[in-house]
PDB file of all heavy atoms in Angstrom:
ATOM      1  N   LYS A  26      -9.328  14.400 -15.187  1.00 97.00           N
ATOM      2  CA  LYS A  26      -9.687  12.981 -15.017  1.00 97.00           C
ATOM      3  C   LYS A  26     -11.090  12.695 -15.534  1.00 97.00           C
ATOM      4  O   LYS A  26     -11.288  11.763 -16.314  1.00 97.00           O
ATOM      5  CB  LYS A  26      -9.613  12.615 -13.514  1.00 97.00           C
ATOM      6  CG  LYS A  26     -10.292  11.284 -13.191  1.00 97.00           C
ATOM      7  CD  LYS A  26     -10.161  10.938 -11.718  1.00 97.00           C
ATOM      8  CE  LYS A  26     -11.341  11.433 -10.854  1.00 97.00           C
ATOM      9  NZ  LYS A  26     -12.560  10.629 -10.937  1.00 97.00           N
ATOM     10  N   ASN A  27     -12.072  13.506 -15.101  1.00 97.00           N
ATOM     11  CA  ASN A  27     -13.400  13.155 -15.404  1.00 97.00           C
ATOM     12  C   ASN A  27     -13.827  13.365 -16.877  1.00 97.00           C
ATOM     13  O   ASN A  27     -14.829  12.936 -17.317  1.00 97.00           O
ATOM     14  CB  ASN A  27     -14.415  13.875 -14.433  1.00 97.00           C
ATOM     15  CG  ASN A  27     -14.272  13.264 -13.069  1.00 97.00           C
ATOM     16  OD1 ASN A  27     -13.747  12.194 -12.842  1.00 97.00           O
ATOM     17  ND2 ASN A  27     -14.814  14.007 -12.027  1.00 97.00           N
ATOM     18  N   VAL A  30     -11.724  10.119 -18.643  1.00 97.00           N
ATOM     19  CA  VAL A  30     -12.366   8.779 -18.434  1.00 97.00           C
ATOM     20  C   VAL A  30     -13.610   8.585 -19.234  1.00 97.00           C
ATOM     21  O   VAL A  30     -14.110   7.461 -19.354  1.00 97.00           O
ATOM     22  CB  VAL A  30     -12.688   8.564 -16.905  1.00 97.00           C
ATOM     23  CG1 VAL A  30     -11.432   8.529 -16.078  1.00 97.00           C
ATOM     24  CG2 VAL A  30     -13.709   9.473 -16.396  1.00 97.00           C
ATOM     25  N   ARG A  96     -15.518   4.209 -11.533  1.00 85.00           N
ATOM     26  CA  ARG A  96     -16.884   4.555 -11.908  1.00 85.00           C
ATOM     27  C   ARG A  96     -17.051   4.529 -13.400  1.00 85.00           C
ATOM     28  O   ARG A  96     -18.046   4.062 -13.962  1.00 85.00           O
ATOM     29  CB  ARG A  96     -17.196   5.984 -11.380  1.00 85.00           C
ATOM     30  CG  ARG A  96     -18.545   6.441 -11.575  1.00 85.00           C
ATOM     31  CD  ARG A  96     -19.450   5.809 -10.556  1.00 85.00           C
ATOM     32  NE  ARG A  96     -20.842   6.154 -10.736  1.00 85.00           N
ATOM     33  CZ  ARG A  96     -21.836   5.437 -10.229  1.00 85.00           C
ATOM     34  NH1 ARG A  96     -21.570   4.345  -9.517  1.00 85.00           N
ATOM     35  NH2 ARG A  96     -23.078   5.791 -10.387  1.00 85.00           N
ATOM     36  N   ALA A  97     -16.034   5.079 -14.071  1.00 87.00           N
ATOM     37  CA  ALA A  97     -16.197   5.357 -15.520  1.00 87.00           C
ATOM     38  C   ALA A  97     -16.230   4.084 -16.370  1.00 87.00           C
ATOM     39  O   ALA A  97     -16.469   4.152 -17.561  1.00 87.00           O
ATOM     40  CB  ALA A  97     -15.067   6.243 -15.998  1.00 87.00           C
ATOM     41  N   TYR A  99     -18.457   2.167 -16.643  1.00 91.00           N
ATOM     42  CA  TYR A  99     -19.773   2.006 -17.269  1.00 91.00           C
ATOM     43  C   TYR A  99     -19.954   2.825 -18.523  1.00 91.00           C
ATOM     44  O   TYR A  99     -20.884   2.649 -19.245  1.00 91.00           O
ATOM     45  CB  TYR A  99     -20.911   2.113 -16.239  1.00 91.00           C
ATOM     46  CG  TYR A  99     -21.248   3.501 -15.743  1.00 91.00           C
ATOM     47  CD1 TYR A  99     -22.515   3.746 -15.175  1.00 91.00           C
ATOM     48  CD2 TYR A  99     -20.358   4.556 -15.755  1.00 91.00           C
ATOM     49  CE1 TYR A  99     -22.863   4.977 -14.673  1.00 91.00           C
ATOM     50  CE2 TYR A  99     -20.694   5.797 -15.235  1.00 91.00           C
ATOM     51  CZ  TYR A  99     -21.921   5.989 -14.685  1.00 91.00           C
ATOM     52  OH  TYR A  99     -22.244   7.231 -14.183  1.00 91.00           O
ATOM     53  N   TYR A 100     -19.016   3.725 -18.806  1.00 96.00           N
ATOM     54  CA  TYR A 100     -19.092   4.457 -20.063  1.00 96.00           C
ATOM     55  C   TYR A 100     -18.848   3.450 -21.196  1.00 96.00           C
ATOM     56  O   TYR A 100     -19.343   3.605 -22.329  1.00 96.00           O
ATOM     57  CB  TYR A 100     -18.062   5.584 -20.132  1.00 96.00           C
ATOM     58  CG  TYR A 100     -18.395   6.762 -19.193  1.00 96.00           C
ATOM     59  CD1 TYR A 100     -17.392   7.588 -18.683  1.00 96.00           C
ATOM     60  CD2 TYR A 100     -19.722   7.042 -18.861  1.00 96.00           C
ATOM     61  CE1 TYR A 100     -17.683   8.634 -17.850  1.00 96.00           C
ATOM     62  CE2 TYR A 100     -20.034   8.139 -18.018  1.00 96.00           C
ATOM     63  CZ  TYR A 100     -19.028   8.916 -17.527  1.00 96.00           C
ATOM     64  OH  TYR A 100     -19.305   9.964 -16.709  1.00 96.00           O
ATOM     65  N   ILE A 122     -18.909   7.272  -1.670  1.00 84.00           N
ATOM     66  CA  ILE A 122     -19.277   8.566  -1.099  1.00 84.00           C
ATOM     67  C   ILE A 122     -20.795   8.695  -1.060  1.00 84.00           C
ATOM     68  O   ILE A 122     -21.312   9.750  -0.753  1.00 84.00           O
ATOM     69  CB  ILE A 122     -18.642   9.737  -1.934  1.00 84.00           C
ATOM     70  CG1 ILE A 122     -18.868   9.485  -3.448  1.00 84.00           C
ATOM     71  CG2 ILE A 122     -17.170   9.880  -1.622  1.00 84.00           C
ATOM     72  CD1 ILE A 122     -18.296  10.496  -4.358  1.00 84.00           C
ATOM     73  N   ALA A 124     -24.738   6.369  -2.353  1.00 81.00           N
ATOM     74  CA  ALA A 124     -25.336   5.190  -3.016  1.00 81.00           C
ATOM     75  C   ALA A 124     -24.929   5.110  -4.522  1.00 81.00           C
ATOM     76  O   ALA A 124     -24.639   4.039  -5.022  1.00 81.00           O
ATOM     77  CB  ALA A 124     -26.860   5.258  -2.882  1.00 81.00           C
ATOM     78  N   ARG A 125     -24.952   6.217  -5.194  1.00 86.00           N
ATOM     79  CA  ARG A 125     -24.530   6.287  -6.621  1.00 86.00           C
ATOM     80  C   ARG A 125     -25.274   5.299  -7.542  1.00 86.00           C
ATOM     81  O   ARG A 125     -24.653   4.486  -8.215  1.00 86.00           O
ATOM     82  CB  ARG A 125     -23.059   6.201  -6.795  1.00 86.00           C
ATOM     83  CG  ARG A 125     -22.305   7.151  -5.855  1.00 86.00           C
ATOM     84  CD  ARG A 125     -20.798   7.129  -6.107  1.00 86.00           C
ATOM     85  NE  ARG A 125     -20.452   7.947  -7.284  1.00 86.00           N
ATOM     86  CZ  ARG A 125     -19.248   8.124  -7.723  1.00 86.00           C
ATOM     87  NH1 ARG A 125     -18.257   7.540  -7.114  1.00 86.00           N
ATOM     88  NH2 ARG A 125     -18.986   8.874  -8.797  1.00 86.00           N
ATOM     89  N   PRO A 126     -26.603   5.330  -7.539  1.00 89.00           N
ATOM     90  CA  PRO A 126     -27.333   4.448  -8.425  1.00 89.00           C
ATOM     91  C   PRO A 126     -27.187   4.820  -9.900  1.00 89.00           C
ATOM     92  O   PRO A 126     -26.714   5.916 -10.189  1.00 89.00           O
ATOM     93  CB  PRO A 126     -28.831   4.619  -7.993  1.00 89.00           C
ATOM     94  CG  PRO A 126     -28.854   5.987  -7.359  1.00 89.00           C
ATOM     95  CD  PRO A 126     -27.494   6.228  -6.795  1.00 89.00           C
ATOM     96  N   ILE A 127     -27.596   3.928 -10.804  1.00 93.00           N
ATOM     97  CA  ILE A 127     -27.418   4.239 -12.247  1.00 93.00           C
ATOM     98  C   ILE A 127     -28.782   4.180 -12.953  1.00 93.00           C
ATOM     99  O   ILE A 127     -28.900   3.965 -14.122  1.00 93.00           O
ATOM    100  CB  ILE A 127     -26.359   3.343 -12.933  1.00 93.00           C
ATOM    101  CG1 ILE A 127     -26.793   1.873 -12.939  1.00 93.00           C
ATOM    102  CG2 ILE A 127     -25.015   3.460 -12.214  1.00 93.00           C
ATOM    103  CD1 ILE A 127     -25.912   1.043 -13.941  1.00 93.00           C
ATOM    104  N   ASP A 128     -29.832   4.374 -12.160  1.00 95.00           N
ATOM    105  CA  ASP A 128     -31.182   4.299 -12.760  1.00 95.00           C
ATOM    106  C   ASP A 128     -31.432   5.254 -13.906  1.00 95.00           C
ATOM    107  O   ASP A 128     -32.190   4.871 -14.870  1.00 95.00           O
ATOM    108  CB  ASP A 128     -32.246   4.558 -11.630  1.00 95.00           C
ATOM    109  CG  ASP A 128     -32.015   5.888 -10.917  1.00 95.00           C
ATOM    110  OD1 ASP A 128     -30.945   6.022 -10.260  1.00 95.00           O
ATOM    111  OD2 ASP A 128     -32.852   6.783 -11.052  1.00 95.00           O
ATOM    112  N   GLN A 129     -30.842   6.412 -13.903  1.00 97.00           N
ATOM    113  CA  GLN A 129     -31.102   7.344 -15.002  1.00 97.00           C
ATOM    114  C   GLN A 129     -30.447   6.867 -16.299  1.00 97.00           C
ATOM    115  O   GLN A 129     -30.987   7.100 -17.383  1.00 97.00           O
ATOM    116  CB  GLN A 129     -30.570   8.774 -14.618  1.00 97.00           C
ATOM    117  CG  GLN A 129     -31.248   9.337 -13.412  1.00 97.00           C
ATOM    118  CD  GLN A 129     -32.725   9.496 -13.553  1.00 97.00           C
ATOM    119  OE1 GLN A 129     -33.202  10.109 -14.469  1.00 97.00           O
ATOM    120  NE2 GLN A 129     -33.472   8.794 -12.648  1.00 97.00           N
ATOM    121  N   THR A 130     -29.299   6.249 -16.193  1.00 97.00           N
ATOM    122  CA  THR A 130     -28.653   5.650 -17.385  1.00 97.00           C
ATOM    123  C   THR A 130     -29.541   4.567 -17.901  1.00 97.00           C
ATOM    124  O   THR A 130     -29.844   4.470 -19.114  1.00 97.00           O
ATOM    125  CB  THR A 130     -27.304   5.091 -16.934  1.00 97.00           C
ATOM    126  OG1 THR A 130     -26.446   6.184 -16.661  1.00 97.00           O
ATOM    127  CG2 THR A 130     -26.649   4.257 -18.098  1.00 97.00           C
ATOM    128  N   MET A 164     -32.411  14.079 -12.257  1.00 97.00           N
ATOM    129  CA  MET A 164     -31.425  15.060 -11.762  1.00 97.00           C
ATOM    130  C   MET A 164     -30.331  15.189 -12.832  1.00 97.00           C
ATOM    131  O   MET A 164     -30.158  14.286 -13.625  1.00 97.00           O
ATOM    132  CB  MET A 164     -30.836  14.583 -10.432  1.00 97.00           C
ATOM    133  CG  MET A 164     -29.822  13.463 -10.476  1.00 97.00           C
ATOM    134  SD  MET A 164     -30.518  11.862 -10.939  1.00 97.00           S
ATOM    135  CE  MET A 164     -31.469  11.460  -9.549  1.00 97.00           C
ATOM    136  N   PRO A 165     -29.676  16.355 -12.884  1.00 98.00           N
ATOM    137  CA  PRO A 165     -28.653  16.518 -13.950  1.00 98.00           C
ATOM    138  C   PRO A 165     -27.404  15.665 -13.672  1.00 98.00           C
ATOM    139  O   PRO A 165     -26.370  16.184 -13.311  1.00 98.00           O
ATOM    140  CB  PRO A 165     -28.349  18.042 -13.903  1.00 98.00           C
ATOM    141  CG  PRO A 165     -28.745  18.448 -12.517  1.00 98.00           C
ATOM    142  CD  PRO A 165     -29.756  17.532 -12.010  1.00 98.00           C
ATOM    143  N   SER A 166     -27.524  14.379 -13.919  1.00 97.00           N
ATOM    144  CA  SER A 166     -26.434  13.444 -13.630  1.00 97.00           C
ATOM    145  C   SER A 166     -25.392  13.504 -14.740  1.00 97.00           C
ATOM    146  O   SER A 166     -25.687  13.399 -15.976  1.00 97.00           O
ATOM    147  CB  SER A 166     -27.005  12.017 -13.522  1.00 97.00           C
ATOM    148  OG  SER A 166     -26.019  11.099 -13.841  1.00 97.00           O
ATOM    149  N   VAL A 167     -24.144  13.699 -14.318  1.00 97.00           N
ATOM    150  CA  VAL A 167     -23.025  13.694 -15.259  1.00 97.00           C
ATOM    151  C   VAL A 167     -22.919  12.358 -15.953  1.00 97.00           C
ATOM    152  O   VAL A 167     -22.927  12.247 -17.226  1.00 97.00           O
ATOM    153  CB  VAL A 167     -21.678  13.964 -14.535  1.00 97.00           C
ATOM    154  CG1 VAL A 167     -20.495  13.832 -15.469  1.00 97.00           C
ATOM    155  CG2 VAL A 167     -21.678  15.334 -13.865  1.00 97.00           C
ATOM    156  N   GLY A 168     -22.925  11.313 -15.170  1.00 97.00           N
ATOM    157  CA  GLY A 168     -22.770   9.946 -15.734  1.00 97.00           C
ATOM    158  C   GLY A 168     -23.901   9.600 -16.688  1.00 97.00           C
ATOM    159  O   GLY A 168     -23.651   9.112 -17.786  1.00 97.00           O
ATOM    160  N   ALA A 169     -25.168   9.906 -16.294  1.00 98.00           N
ATOM    161  CA  ALA A 169     -26.263   9.526 -17.165  1.00 98.00           C
ATOM    162  C   ALA A 169     -26.234  10.343 -18.462  1.00 98.00           C
ATOM    163  O   ALA A 169     -26.487   9.862 -19.517  1.00 98.00           O
ATOM    164  CB  ALA A 169     -27.578   9.749 -16.433  1.00 98.00           C
ATOM    165  N   GLU A 192     -21.740  20.146 -17.107  1.00 98.00           N
ATOM    166  CA  GLU A 192     -20.309  20.157 -16.738  1.00 98.00           C
ATOM    167  C   GLU A 192     -19.434  20.321 -18.015  1.00 98.00           C
ATOM    168  O   GLU A 192     -19.784  19.774 -19.085  1.00 98.00           O
ATOM    169  CB  GLU A 192     -19.893  18.856 -16.060  1.00 98.00           C
ATOM    170  CG  GLU A 192     -20.024  18.826 -14.509  1.00 98.00           C
ATOM    171  CD  GLU A 192     -21.435  18.940 -13.968  1.00 98.00           C
ATOM    172  OE1 GLU A 192     -22.396  19.004 -14.775  1.00 98.00           O
ATOM    173  OE2 GLU A 192     -21.606  18.987 -12.771  1.00 98.00           O
ATOM    174  N   THR A 307     -19.159  19.499  -5.815  1.00 98.00           N
ATOM    175  CA  THR A 307     -19.001  18.598  -4.655  1.00 98.00           C
ATOM    176  C   THR A 307     -17.567  18.079  -4.527  1.00 98.00           C
ATOM    177  O   THR A 307     -17.068  17.863  -3.430  1.00 98.00           O
ATOM    178  CB  THR A 307     -20.007  17.366  -4.803  1.00 98.00           C
ATOM    179  OG1 THR A 307     -19.634  16.436  -3.792  1.00 98.00           O
ATOM    180  CG2 THR A 307     -19.961  16.717  -6.162  1.00 98.00           C
ATOM    181  N   ASP A 308     -16.867  17.944  -5.664  1.00 98.00           N
ATOM    182  CA  ASP A 308     -15.490  17.365  -5.644  1.00 98.00           C
ATOM    183  C   ASP A 308     -14.527  18.347  -4.953  1.00 98.00           C
ATOM    184  O   ASP A 308     -13.406  17.936  -4.639  1.00 98.00           O
ATOM    185  CB  ASP A 308     -14.994  17.041  -7.032  1.00 98.00           C
ATOM    186  CG  ASP A 308     -15.819  15.949  -7.718  1.00 98.00           C
ATOM    187  OD1 ASP A 308     -16.536  15.235  -6.988  1.00 98.00           O
ATOM    188  OD2 ASP A 308     -15.779  15.838  -8.914  1.00 98.00           O
ATOM    189  N   ILE A 330     -25.124  16.699  -3.062  1.00 96.00           N
ATOM    190  CA  ILE A 330     -25.024  15.700  -4.101  1.00 96.00           C
ATOM    191  C   ILE A 330     -24.883  14.302  -3.545  1.00 96.00           C
ATOM    192  O   ILE A 330     -25.505  13.358  -3.976  1.00 96.00           O
ATOM    193  CB  ILE A 330     -23.801  15.997  -5.054  1.00 96.00           C
ATOM    194  CG1 ILE A 330     -23.853  17.480  -5.550  1.00 96.00           C
ATOM    195  CG2 ILE A 330     -23.853  15.002  -6.255  1.00 96.00           C
ATOM    196  CD1 ILE A 330     -24.908  17.837  -6.517  1.00 96.00           C
ATOM    197  N   TYR A 331     -23.985  14.109  -2.567  1.00 95.00           N
ATOM    198  CA  TYR A 331     -23.741  12.766  -1.996  1.00 95.00           C
ATOM    199  C   TYR A 331     -24.042  12.704  -0.494  1.00 95.00           C
ATOM    200  O   TYR A 331     -23.916  13.655   0.192  1.00 95.00           O
ATOM    201  CB  TYR A 331     -22.225  12.394  -2.215  1.00 95.00           C
ATOM    202  CG  TYR A 331     -21.862  12.289  -3.646  1.00 95.00           C
ATOM    203  CD1 TYR A 331     -20.969  13.159  -4.219  1.00 95.00           C
ATOM    204  CD2 TYR A 331     -22.335  11.232  -4.434  1.00 95.00           C
ATOM    205  CE1 TYR A 331     -20.594  13.041  -5.569  1.00 95.00           C
ATOM    206  CE2 TYR A 331     -22.000  11.120  -5.734  1.00 95.00           C
ATOM    207  CZ  TYR A 331     -21.110  12.031  -6.336  1.00 95.00           C
ATOM    208  OH  TYR A 331     -20.743  11.898  -7.631  1.00 95.00           O
ATOM    209  N   GLU A 332     -24.482  11.472  -0.100  1.00 90.00           N
ATOM    210  CA  GLU A 332     -24.862  11.283   1.320  1.00 90.00           C
ATOM    211  C   GLU A 332     -23.724  11.049   2.224  1.00 90.00           C
ATOM    212  O   GLU A 332     -23.825  11.096   3.441  1.00 90.00           O
ATOM    213  CB  GLU A 332     -25.841  10.104   1.472  1.00 90.00           C
ATOM    214  CG  GLU A 332     -26.964   9.967   0.486  1.00 90.00           C
ATOM    215  CD  GLU A 332     -26.516   9.226  -0.759  1.00 90.00           C
ATOM    216  OE1 GLU A 332     -26.142   8.007  -0.648  1.00 90.00           O
ATOM    217  OE2 GLU A 332     -26.543   9.838  -1.857  1.00 90.00           O
ATOM    218  N   ARG A 334     -20.139  12.097   2.047  1.00 95.00           N
ATOM    219  CA  ARG A 334     -18.934  12.723   1.610  1.00 95.00           C
ATOM    220  C   ARG A 334     -18.299  13.635   2.720  1.00 95.00           C
ATOM    221  O   ARG A 334     -17.641  14.625   2.454  1.00 95.00           O
ATOM    222  CB  ARG A 334     -19.152  13.551   0.346  1.00 95.00           C
ATOM    223  CG  ARG A 334     -17.959  13.400  -0.576  1.00 95.00           C
ATOM    224  CD  ARG A 334     -18.094  14.073  -1.924  1.00 95.00           C
ATOM    225  NE  ARG A 334     -17.085  13.490  -2.797  1.00 95.00           N
ATOM    226  CZ  ARG A 334     -16.867  13.859  -4.027  1.00 95.00           C
ATOM    227  NH1 ARG A 334     -17.558  14.800  -4.584  1.00 95.00           N
ATOM    228  NH2 ARG A 334     -15.919  13.289  -4.775  1.00 95.00           N
ATOM    229  N   LEU A 373     -11.075   9.620  -2.852  1.00 96.00           N
ATOM    230  CA  LEU A 373     -10.118  10.516  -3.557  1.00 96.00           C
ATOM    231  C   LEU A 373     -10.055  11.918  -2.998  1.00 96.00           C
ATOM    232  O   LEU A 373      -8.983  12.451  -2.669  1.00 96.00           O
ATOM    233  CB  LEU A 373     -10.552  10.528  -5.045  1.00 96.00           C
ATOM    234  CG  LEU A 373      -9.988  11.535  -5.991  1.00 96.00           C
ATOM    235  CD1 LEU A 373      -8.447  11.519  -6.067  1.00 96.00           C
ATOM    236  CD2 LEU A 373     -10.548  11.336  -7.407  1.00 96.00           C
ATOM    237  N   ARG A 374     -11.210  12.593  -2.907  1.00 97.00           N
ATOM    238  CA  ARG A 374     -11.140  14.020  -2.512  1.00 97.00           C
ATOM    239  C   ARG A 374     -10.902  14.171  -0.974  1.00 97.00           C
ATOM    240  O   ARG A 374     -10.428  15.191  -0.566  1.00 97.00           O
ATOM    241  CB  ARG A 374     -12.397  14.764  -2.976  1.00 97.00           C
ATOM    242  CG  ARG A 374     -12.737  14.587  -4.440  1.00 97.00           C
ATOM    243  CD  ARG A 374     -11.657  15.094  -5.388  1.00 97.00           C
ATOM    244  NE  ARG A 374     -12.021  14.670  -6.773  1.00 97.00           N
ATOM    245  CZ  ARG A 374     -11.199  14.830  -7.784  1.00 97.00           C
ATOM    246  NH1 ARG A 374      -9.969  15.346  -7.664  1.00 97.00           N
ATOM    247  NH2 ARG A 374     -11.530  14.398  -9.001  1.00 97.00           N
TER     248      ARG A 374
HETATM  249  N1  EPU B  30     -27.794   9.871  -9.346  1.00 95.08           N
HETATM  250  C1  EPU B  30     -28.953   9.061  -9.248  1.00 95.08           C
HETATM  251  N2  EPU B  30     -29.227   8.228 -10.300  1.00 95.08           N
HETATM  252  C2  EPU B  30     -28.469   8.165 -11.420  1.00 95.08           C
HETATM  253  C3  EPU B  30     -27.328   8.965 -11.514  1.00 95.08           C
HETATM  254  C4  EPU B  30     -26.989   9.827 -10.452  1.00 95.08           C
HETATM  255  O1  EPU B  30     -29.611   9.067  -8.220  1.00 95.08           O
HETATM  256  O2  EPU B  30     -28.830   7.367 -12.312  1.00 95.08           O
HETATM  257  C5  EPU B  30     -27.421  10.709  -8.276  1.00 95.08           C
HETATM  258  C6  EPU B  30     -26.124  10.338  -7.601  1.00 95.08           C
HETATM  259  O3  EPU B  30     -26.316   9.322  -6.572  1.00 95.08           O
HETATM  260  C7  EPU B  30     -25.625  11.622  -7.054  1.00 95.08           C
HETATM  261  C8  EPU B  30     -26.074  12.672  -8.078  1.00 95.08           C
HETATM  262  O4  EPU B  30     -27.149  12.023  -8.765  1.00 95.08           O
HETATM  263  O5  EPU B  30     -26.265  11.885  -5.849  1.00 95.08           O
HETATM  264  C9  EPU B  30     -25.046  13.121  -9.058  1.00 95.08           C
HETATM  265  O6  EPU B  30     -24.412  11.998  -9.662  1.00 95.08           O
HETATM  266  P1  EPU B  30     -23.671  12.045 -11.095  1.00 95.08           P
HETATM  267  O7  EPU B  30     -24.262  10.984 -11.916  1.00 95.08           O
HETATM  268  O8  EPU B  30     -23.723  13.474 -11.595  1.00 95.08           O
HETATM  269  O9  EPU B  30     -22.212  11.686 -10.716  1.00 95.08           O
HETATM  270  P2  EPU B  30     -21.246  10.683 -11.435  1.00 95.08           P
HETATM  271  O10 EPU B  30     -21.377  10.825 -12.885  1.00 95.08           O
HETATM  272  O11 EPU B  30     -21.333   9.340 -10.870  1.00 95.08           O
HETATM  273  C10 EPU B  30     -19.316  12.418 -11.727  1.00 95.08           C
HETATM  274  C11 EPU B  30     -17.861  12.465 -11.308  1.00 95.08           C
HETATM  275  C12 EPU B  30     -17.757  12.640  -9.794  1.00 95.08           C
HETATM  276  C13 EPU B  30     -18.525  13.860  -9.414  1.00 95.08           C
HETATM  277  C14 EPU B  30     -19.943  13.872  -9.934  1.00 95.08           C
HETATM  278  C15 EPU B  30     -20.693  15.159  -9.658  1.00 95.08           C
HETATM  279  C16 EPU B  30     -16.871  11.060 -13.005  1.00 95.08           C
HETATM  280  C17 EPU B  30     -16.196   9.766 -13.337  1.00 95.08           C
HETATM  281  N3  EPU B  30     -17.241  11.216 -11.746  1.00 95.08           N
HETATM  282  O12 EPU B  30     -19.827  11.280 -11.032  1.00 95.08           O
HETATM  283  O13 EPU B  30     -16.394  12.746  -9.526  1.00 95.08           O
HETATM  284  O14 EPU B  30     -18.511  13.989  -8.008  1.00 95.08           O
HETATM  285  O15 EPU B  30     -19.936  13.636 -11.335  1.00 95.08           O
HETATM  286  O16 EPU B  30     -20.050  16.198 -10.277  1.00 95.08           O
HETATM  287  O17 EPU B  30     -17.029  11.937 -13.852  1.00 95.08           O
HETATM  288  C18 EPU B  30     -14.453  12.696  -8.236  1.00 95.08           C
HETATM  289  O18 EPU B  30     -13.863  12.997  -9.225  1.00 95.08           O
HETATM  290  O19 EPU B  30     -13.966  12.584  -7.083  1.00 95.08           O
HETATM  291  C19 EPU B  30     -15.841  12.262  -8.402  1.00 95.08           C
HETATM  292  C20 EPU B  30     -16.516  11.526  -7.480  1.00 95.08           C
END
Side-chain angles (χ1 to χ4, degrees):
K26 166 179 91 77
N27 289 344
V30 299
R96 185 76 182 160
Y99 73 160
Y100 291 152
I122 47 182
R125 309 188 79 180
I127 65 166
D128 54 295
Q129 299 302 302
T130 291
M164 74 290 292
S166 156
V167 173
E192 270 67 3
T307 169
D308 297 341
I330 311 287
Y331 295 113
E332 315 85 64
R334 219 175 197 184
L373 166 57
R374 309 300 171 188

